[in-house]
Amino acid sequence: MAQELIEKESQSVWERLGGTDGGAPEAFAALVDAFYDGVAEDALLRPMYPAESDLKEERENLALFLIQYFGGPALYAVKRGHPRLRMRHNPFKIGPAARDIWLKHMEAALVATPAITPVAPTLRAYFIEVAHFLQNSDTD
Ligand code: HEM
């Protein structure tokens, strides 16, 4: 039992979701889709994206990034290069409200995506940390 817990913990999120052929790509895609469905309706976040965008590219960028970060294939690097997330977020004013609304949409997506449930606590902790790191303004 203890051994099993230790082994589970040492597996990457990607492996815990079943890997490439076991549903992991679909789980991340579903999470990101649910998240961006919320962003698409959001009065503060939606204006940060080009008005003409259908958010398809943005969905793909975030999904590829998360897959790479959590132990899957490094396809984000192939498409976009080094993540440099702080720098890539510089063009957007991210104050406390934007940060918390981003996290609210991601929390809703985590809850609404059954395929991601086994790793939701790990992802939740990660998102909270990165969202605070990406905040680049004290004011909204
Ligand atoms: C804190 C509030 C945040 C806001 C307001 C925000 C907003 C944005 C916007 C407007 C874009 C541009 C769309 C695009 O090119 O894909 C973007 C890109 C991106 N964001 Fe965020 N973001 C936030 C937090 C986060 C967090 C917590 C993560 C990761 C855990 C993240 C990961 C990314 C990634 C991977 C991209 C694509 C970068 C690229 O390749 O150009 N963002 N974000």
Side-chain angles (χ1 to χ4, degrees):
M1 176 67 178
Q3 188 58 33
E4 185 184 295
L5 281 175
I6 290 164
E7 283 172 7
K8 277 229 168 77
E9 204 48 46
S10 71
Q11 275 186 318
S12 72
V13 164
W14 186 253
E15 288 166 340
R16 283 160 69 195
L17 290 173
T20 301
D21 299 322
E26 294 77 11
F28 276 107
L31 176 72
V32 168
D33 271 342
F35 169 74
Y36 264 112
D37 287 349
V39 169
E41 302 294 321
D42 191 278
L44 184 64
L45 299 187
R46 182 61 185 85
M48 293 187 189
Y49 300 86
E52 68 279 8
S53 171
D54 59 5
L55 302 182
K56 203 167 160 248
E57 266 312 289
E58 289 83 352
R59 286 173 200 252
E60 182 178 277
N61 288 343
L62 183 56
L64 289 179
F65 172 80
L66 294 174
I67 286 169
Q68 173 175 309
Y69 181 81
F70 284 107
L75 297 177
Y76 177 85
V78 174
K79 182 183 177 193
R80 302 289 291 160
H82 191 285
R84 300 187 202 285
L85 281 194
R86 227 359 244 191
M87 188 197 79
R88 289 194 202 268
H89 287 78
N90 269 346
F92 319 113
K93 185 178 180 188
I94 305 180
R99 177 200 71 199
D100 289 347
I101 291 168
W102 193 104
L103 284 171
K104 183 196 77 172
H105 287 300
M106 189 52 85
E107 179 59 28
L110 285 167
V111 171
T113 310
I116 214 82
T117 303
V119 299
T122 304
L123 266 56
R124 179 177 294 119
Y126 168 76
F127 287 133
I128 291 170
E129 194 178 325
V130 180
H132 282 77
F133 166 70
L134 293 179
Q135 183 182 339
N136 54 23
S137 168
D138 289 337
T139 57
D140 292 321

